[in-house]
Amino acid sequence: MSRFKLHDQFELLEFPDKYVVKPIESPIEAFSVDRRDGNIKPLDENTCSGTGNPIRVSTIYGVGGTIRLLAGTYLLVITSRKEVGTFLGFPIFRLTAMKFLPCNDALRFATAQQKRDEAYFTTLLQSLEITPGLYFSYQTDLTVNLQRRCKLAQAWTRKPMWKQADPRYVWNWHLLEELIECKLDSFIVPLLQGNILFLYLLYQVAELQLKNSPAVISLISRRCTRRLGTRMWRRGANLEGDTANFVESEQVLEINGFKFSLLQVRGSIPLLWEQIVDLSYKPGLKINKHEETPKVVQRHFHDLCQRYGEIMAVDLTDQHGAEGELSKAYAMEMERIPNVRYVSFDFHNICGTTNFDNLGVLYEQIGDEFEKQGYFLVDADDNILEEQKGVIRSNCIDCLDRTNVTQNYMAQKSLNLQLQRIGVFDSTECISMFEDDYTKFKTIWAEQGDEISLQYAGTYALKGDLVRYGKQTMTGAIKDGLSAMSRYYLNNFQDGVRQDAMDLISGRYTVGSNCPSQLQLSGSQPSFLPVASALLIGGVTVTSFTIHQAGRNSQQYLASALWAGVTAGVVAMIKANGRHLCSKPRLCHLI
């Protein structure tokens, strides 16, 4: 048998009572979805030809699954894609548009509360339609790293794509159940989010000319879906040991018939902690005292050791203030974990915002062990010459900006060792000596950081200049300032809804018509912020005006003092009720 391949283009036929999805290259294979109850029915050659005249025909590029809400089923279809390159010889696509098609007729029988709930759920589906960073391939799995796939039996590639995939890195895994039950294997497209992820997939390719040796570097980041969420509403770990913003990054180098792979992982500090938004720029960190905490940390690192071998945990958080307290608690728990080395490196204190090269201080501490962990290497005949024996697990608070810079530095060091291994570089040469190639290399790492940050925080990464140029620039500082303000707005006023959408798509929250309404139990979220903001702005404006007038008329002093008091009271009210004024999730608890 040959390698399994998905259908890559379909006709979507819309009838009054059903949708029919028909592969263009194989029209006798098709399935229908009833628009009244969402039932899926595979069609054969006879039933395909007897479907009548559709009211609309369009082209789609894959089926992402189904999800059942109160009113019935919604079918996810890929409506637009863009080819971004090839990985190991197979075309890779980025999903650029998708749509949930309603296949239900039960809403007319629903209660008023159910109709309100369904309206909120459909709002969540609409927000999911613009999810960034989703990637897929019709011919190869993207969720399994090179070292693991080379060790799998050749029969693995003959399995349906969803069976080849690692579920933890499939963004739409929860949506595939009904299609799998109907044995529609050649229609099912596993989606990887990179950021993953994922999980979200991040996919970038750089073509280099290293000393006249054509080379391709592929950078793939796979976002884990087990604790999927937004920056402020998913921190730390859950009780199973899964951490927020967990991303596996793989740098693959193809040169002179050789293939190299370097794996690194990132993830939130694996304790039970939170940072609830309250309108302050930097909300306080809270470590939850829980009897399960030691087991949570053990579960997390046991899982990593099972998958990657030796683990070195590099903690990049500050060693003072609230971050310092969290780092200290992490260090104490790591003393109980055998065979895992914990390294604390105060990135802000040692590197600041301009001294990228000071990461050499970190490399002096961990370089020997990092080089012993090695990398994966196969030759042109797929003979395994080297295996990666372990990975570095990096974290800061968000596992974004400082982590991006550090992972880029380690990847650069490994790339030099790889090219020296096959004689492209001698022992004195490194990638930074080749300016054009070095710029391309740094650019794909910076873009990877932006993609991962966009998926978790909603904005591009900070400190991107440190990756691109090795120092902060004025343009970069302005860009970081704008991104920081955007993060503040999104985290406080948008991310509650985004978190609900992610909990829905990942299956953490499932909709049941016979269950009490979680939205009713959690209550609505009336926003007093517009009123408070209007009072604040009005108070400041009137106070300024009356102070200006007071110089001409002494009777205005009393009015000035009165409005200043009103303004101060509004500020105090906003500060005291910050948490109530912010957008917060309504479907699931933090842990």
Side-chain angles (χ1 to χ4, degrees):
M1 290 178 62
S2 60
R3 172 183 292 271
F4 186 88
K5 183 180 181 298
L6 293 169
H7 297 307
D8 60 5
Q9 198 167 341
F10 307 83
E11 280 187 340
L12 175 65
L13 291 78
E14 299 183 37
F15 296 89
D17 60 337
K18 64 187 173 185
Y19 293 107
V20 172
V21 178
K22 184 183 297 187
I24 290 177
E25 62 186 9
S26 180
I28 61 172
E29 295 181 63
F31 72 92
S32 66
V33 185
D34 195 302
R35 296 181 71 165
R36 295 162 298 187
D37 57 18
N39 285 338
I40 297 174
K41 181 181 177 183
L43 303 177
D44 56 27
E45 186 174 0
N46 294 326
T47 51
C48 278
S49 58
T51 51
N53 296 319
I55 56 178
R56 185 182 294 108
V57 178
S58 55
T59 300
I60 62 173
Y61 301 97
V63 179
T66 62
I67 185 169
R68 286 193 177 270
L69 302 182
L70 290 171
T73 297
Y74 292 77
L75 175 70
L76 175 62
V77 297
I78 299 170
T79 57
S80 179
R81 69 187 180 190
K82 179 182 179 181
E83 186 171 347
V84 293
T86 60
F87 178 61
L88 304 178
F90 301 106
I92 305 299
F93 296 88
R94 181 180 181 124
L95 188 154
T96 52
M98 58 182 170
K99 187 169 183 61
F100 284 93
L101 304 175
C103 309
N104 50 69
D105 194 33
L107 197 58
R108 55 181 175 163
F109 305 111
T111 65
Q113 180 62 46
Q114 288 176 328
K115 290 179 180 178
R116 287 193 293 269
D117 290 356
E118 186 75 7
Y120 183 67
F121 293 141
T122 53
T123 299
L124 300 184
L125 294 186
Q126 290 169 4
S127 71
L128 288 167
E129 290 176 352
I130 57 173
T131 298
L134 295 176
Y135 295 81
F136 63 95
S137 174
Y138 299 107
Q139 299 180 53
T140 190
D141 171 69
L142 299 175
T143 64
V144 175
N145 60 64
L146 185 62
Q147 179 163 318
R148 184 179 161 201
R149 73 160 61 205
C150 286
K151 290 185 171 184
L152 292 169
Q154 194 165 359
W156 171 74
T157 62
R158 299 172 190 151
K159 293 181 178 180
M161 202 67 71
W162 67 268
K163 286 187 177 181
Q164 297 181 33
D166 185 340
R168 77 182 70 213
Y169 296 128
V170 179
W171 179 80
N172 57 327
W173 185 259
H174 173 62
L175 309 185
L176 303 182
E177 183 177 343
E178 288 192 74
L179 298 179
I180 292 172
E181 286 180 359
C182 293
K183 296 181 171 55
L184 297 170
D185 295 340
S186 57
F187 294 83
I188 300 171
V189 179
L191 297 172
L192 181 67
Q193 186 183 30
N195 36 267
I196 253 108
L197 147 182
F198 310 114
L199 188 221
Y200 286 138
L201 166 70
L202 177 67
Y203 185 88
Q204 300 288 345
V205 174
E207 294 184 359
L208 310 182
Q209 288 289 331
L210 295 168
K211 298 180 71 177
N212 297 318
S213 296
V216 175
I217 293 179
S218 304
L219 184 56
I220 302 176
S221 291
R222 305 174 176 99
R223 177 177 296 281
C224 182
T225 61
R226 290 186 174 179
R227 189 157 168 74
L228 194 63
T230 59
R231 176 173 173 247
M232 289 299 188
W233 292 111
R234 283 296 174 267
R235 295 293 209 187
N238 58 21
L239 294 177
E240 289 73 39
D242 305 309
T243 59
N245 200 23
F246 186 90
V247 180
E248 175 190 270
S249 294
E250 181 177 22
Q251 177 179 287
V252 177
L253 168 66
E254 299 175 73
I255 182 170
N256 295 345
F258 294 97
K259 296 186 186 75
F260 293 86
S261 165
L262 174 73
L263 290 171
Q264 298 185 75
V265 297
R266 71 178 75 194
S268 191
I269 291 177
L271 305 179
L272 304 176
W273 63 282
E274 60 190 42
Q275 192 176 18
I276 306 299
V277 290
D278 58 4
L279 295 184
S280 60
Y281 180 72
K282 200 170 184 178
L285 301 174
K286 178 187 175 185
I287 304 173
N288 297 320
K289 305 297 183 183
H290 198 290
E291 61 183 10
E292 287 287 307
T293 294
K295 292 182 179 179
V296 167
V297 180
Q298 289 171 9
R299 288 170 189 142
H300 178 73
F301 281 99
H302 175 74
D303 180 56
L304 290 185
C305 291
Q306 290 288 105
R307 284 191 286 146
Y308 300 111
E310 301 170 5
I311 305 297
M312 181 160 43
V314 176
D315 180 10
L316 303 168
T317 54
D318 296 347
Q319 296 304 299
H320 59 275
E323 282 193 23
E325 292 299 313
L326 182 60
S327 179
K328 188 183 300 181
Y330 183 24
M332 288 179 60
E333 291 296 336
M334 291 305 296
E335 292 177 359
R336 309 179 190 181
I337 307 297
N339 305 319
V340 175
R341 183 184 173 192
Y342 170 82
V343 178
S344 178
F345 180 79
D346 191 331
F347 185 101
H348 283 150
N349 182 48
I350 298 173
C351 297
T353 59
T354 59
N355 299 311
F356 178 68
D357 289 338
N358 281 3
L359 279 170
V361 176
L362 173 63
Y363 198 78
E364 288 177 3
Q365 298 179 51
I366 67 173
D368 288 344
E369 190 167 338
F370 174 67
E371 292 178 19
K372 286 179 182 176
Q373 286 182 349
Y375 45 77
F376 181 70
L377 170 62
V378 293
D379 63 17
D381 298 320
D382 288 335
N383 297 312
I384 297 175
L385 306 180
E386 301 277 357
E387 291 189 34
Q388 186 171 344
K389 304 174 186 67
V391 299
I392 289 181
R393 181 206 190 277
S394 305
N395 74 268
C396 45
I397 288 297
D398 297 329
C399 303
L400 295 176
D401 313 316
R402 287 169 279 184
T403 301
N404 292 334
V405 176
T406 304
Q407 287 197 341
N408 164 251
Y409 187 88
M410 304 308 294
Q412 179 182 324
K413 289 291 187 181
S414 182
L415 180 63
N416 292 333
L417 294 171
Q418 293 167 18
L419 293 170
Q420 290 168 9
R421 168 72 166 76
I422 58 173
V424 175
F425 285 174
D426 62 35
S427 60
T428 63
E429 291 178 314
C430 58
I431 184 68
S432 60
M433 297 170 64
F434 303 86
E435 185 175 352
D436 289 344
D437 290 334
Y438 189 39
T439 298
K440 292 178 182 178
F441 175 79
K442 291 186 295 183
T443 297
I444 64 168
W445 270 96
E447 290 178 356
Q448 183 236 31
D450 282 340
E451 187 93 20
I452 292 174
S453 179
L454 194 62
Q455 295 158 17
Y456 186 53
T459 71
Y460 292 131
L462 310 183
K463 299 182 175 66
D465 277 3
L466 289 183
V467 177
R468 285 182 172 90
Y469 313 116
K471 61 182 180 180
Q472 182 92 68
T473 65
M474 179 60 70
T475 301
I478 294 172
K479 179 183 174 184
D480 285 357
L482 293 174
S483 291
M485 288 190 289
S486 296
R487 282 186 185 182
Y488 174 82
Y489 173 78
L490 292 170
N491 295 163
N492 283 278
F493 306 121
Q494 296 289 323
D495 281 356
V497 174
R498 284 181 64 219
Q499 184 60 58
D500 279 343
M502 293 182 188
D503 287 334
L504 187 65
I505 200 71
S506 64
R508 190 163 186 264
Y509 180 84
T510 54
V511 177
S513 58
N514 297 322
C515 302
S517 168
Q518 183 63 33
L519 297 176
Q520 187 177 31
L521 293 174
S522 63
S524 60
Q525 296 187 54
S527 177
F528 303 105
L529 189 63
V531 176
S533 300
L535 287 173
L536 180 60
I537 294 171
V540 170
T541 302
V542 175
T543 301
S544 301
F545 177 76
T546 53
I547 289 175
H548 177 71
Q549 294 294 320
R552 303 176 186 175
N553 185 349
S554 59
Q555 294 179 354
Q556 294 291 335
Y557 278 117
L558 182 59
S560 299
L562 176 63
W563 280 106
V566 170
T567 303
V570 172
V571 171
M573 183 198 73
I574 291 175
K575 185 175 181 180
N577 295 277
R579 288 195 176 189
H580 301 293
L581 299 173
C582 294
S583 169
K584 57 186 176 183
R586 302 170 66 187
L587 299 182
C588 295
H589 299 296
L590 292 179
I591 297 178

